[in-house]
Amino acid sequence: MKIFVPGRLCLFGEHSDWAGDYRRINPNLEKGYTLIVGTNQGLYAEVKPHPTHLIFHASLSDGTRKTLTLPMDAEVLLAEAEKGDFFSYAAGVAYQFVARYRVDGLEIDNYLTDLPVKKGLSSSAALCVLVARAFNRVYDLKMTLRDEMELAYQGEITTPSRCGRMDQACAYGDRPILMVFDGNRSDVVELKVPKNLFFVIVDLGAGKNTQEILSNLNQCYPFASNESQENVQKYLGSISSQITQEAVDALQKGDAEQIGILMKKSQIEFDKHLIPVCPEQLTAPILHKILHYKPIQPYIWGGKGVGSQGDGTAQFIVKDEESQQKVIEIIERDFPQMQGLKLTLHARKVRKAIIPAGGFGTRLFPATKAVKKEFFPIIDREGRAKPVILAIVEEAISAGIEEIGIVVQPGDRALFEEFFKAPPPGELFKKLSPQNQEYSQYLQDLGSKITFLNQDKPEGYGYAVFCAKEWVKDEPFLLMLGDHVYSSDTETSCAGQLLDAYKQVNQSVVSLTTLPAESLHKSGCVTGIWQESNSILSVTQLAEKPTIEYARQHLRVEGMAEDQFLCIFGLYVLTPKIFEFLENNIQNNFRDEKGEFQLTSCLDQLQQEEGMTGYIVNGKCYDTGLPDPYRQTMIDFRNAGK
């Protein structure tokens, strides 16, 4: 199992985690607000279980290797953690797991580290999160990101380190988050970036004393005794929180220029209020020289210090990707001791698609006793006979999907692999026309983009989707039915239309079509408020196969003809949050009347939690999962678009 954990960069709100913690003693202090992103650099590792020991092979940023080997004994791990050296962090986290869970050991091969250490990028926290995530995934502890983050934090403070809670935000990967600190409580708000934002992080190649900075600033808490201490509390309270919340708004609008303005404002206020209590470290002549260096000004919107500040690391938001490279070239040319790193916040792209294909096909029995329903043939517009599953995969690829996960029963896996990944036997291949020989290679090329995911038992559509959780990880994904094919009325495929809608609204999207009341018994149905008439809908409720009476009372949509309803077309773009609701249903055995775990109730929860958009697809959906609709699909799909 491979794991990557990035460092973390505090864009705004440095020091606010520990400052907000003092509200436990002085409730008149302001809450702490900090805006955090993961870096593009971090720790790469392969992990596997070990019966008795914690073994950690570390690759340091200078290219050297070190190894720790310790028995999974609480006293031994605690003693190592309290030493305060490099491996103390791994031992501290392992100690926390031994104390809380019944786990054996781990072997972690940290084969690459490209994250600079002691530069305000939380390399030690990344190591702690790496160990926590390794235990969680290897032993299937079903911990959430917040759980991993908390155990990593507890592990780090088992060492002499006195980090704040923001450091473990690297558990959230490359997703930007807002953290709010209120005494012992911390809250996390995940943020969305509508377009790519480009940053440069600069290791100043100088030095600072973080312990001195923290010591001097902590002397201003929990109660100020002079004007200088009041100024520190004012900046780390009301001033910093206002700037940070304005930065969150700018980030979610994709307003790079405004983020740059706020960076400059933040640095000015930081200097004014904090330098007087720690002038030797925070005057930071090298930091301020690079922030105002004239040759880079045409390429940047703004910049500020990083972490505890001082002459450690600087950060800039730049105008575009080309400016990113230009700033690094200028700085490394004119300041050889400095090193620049790129950081790009990406708008969340949909790269993966899930196709559940683990059902028995009971509605097509006895034909499905001989042939899996996903391999039933259809004829495409070019007159080529192909299995249904191939048409679905091609629909995903046409939308720009890069990886496809097909959920199958373990006993069917070989059948799917043979079709997509193996060439025909030699004698058969020779009999194929040159065009079909070329098509055979095309199938294998498709197969290189497909991963087969096991569904251990037939527990319903929701359970099949949940089986893809570990493969999807923390990405939005396209969900497709395994017995529906599509044709578009435009040049953009049906799946491509849905992905375009997701880019526009940046939240989960469900495809819709209009159906009459008599068809409600075979489809999910939604209602909501039009954002664009007859095109885009803000979904307010979903119902699975509602009665006509219920639909008339609760699912009418303004402007639609009587007894016409918006029903699910069979394609979805979903955020990974859906897996939390599916997991809750499975753990609590919330089944439908058929004894299965369904998706629609979880979609409704997702809509309530994050919001959801409905998009009316310009195209047609063809059902291959029932005898009569399959017969009609054989006729209509061949003639689609003609």
Side-chain angles (χ1 to χ4, degrees), residues 243-290:
I243 292 173
T244 300
Q245 290 177 78
E246 289 177 5
V248 167
D249 184 60
L251 184 94
Q252 297 204 109
K253 291 177 179 176
D255 190 344
E257 184 173 4
Q258 180 63 16
I259 292 172
I261 291 170
L262 291 168
M263 281 187 168
K264 293 176 181 178
K265 179 180 179 181
S266 175
Q267 190 65 53
I268 290 170
E269 295 291 343
F270 183 97
D271 293 346
K272 175 182 175 181
H273 291 85
L274 270 67
I275 285 179
V277 302
C278 192
E280 288 189 8
Q281 296 298 325
L282 296 181
T283 300
I286 298 175
L287 169 66
H288 289 86
K289 180 177 182 179
I290 201 68

Side-chain angles (χ1 to χ4, degrees), residues 480-491:
M480 312 176 77
L481 297 175
D483 54 9
H484 283 57
V485 292
Y486 309 91
S487 68
S488 174
D489 294 337
T490 73
E491 292 184 359

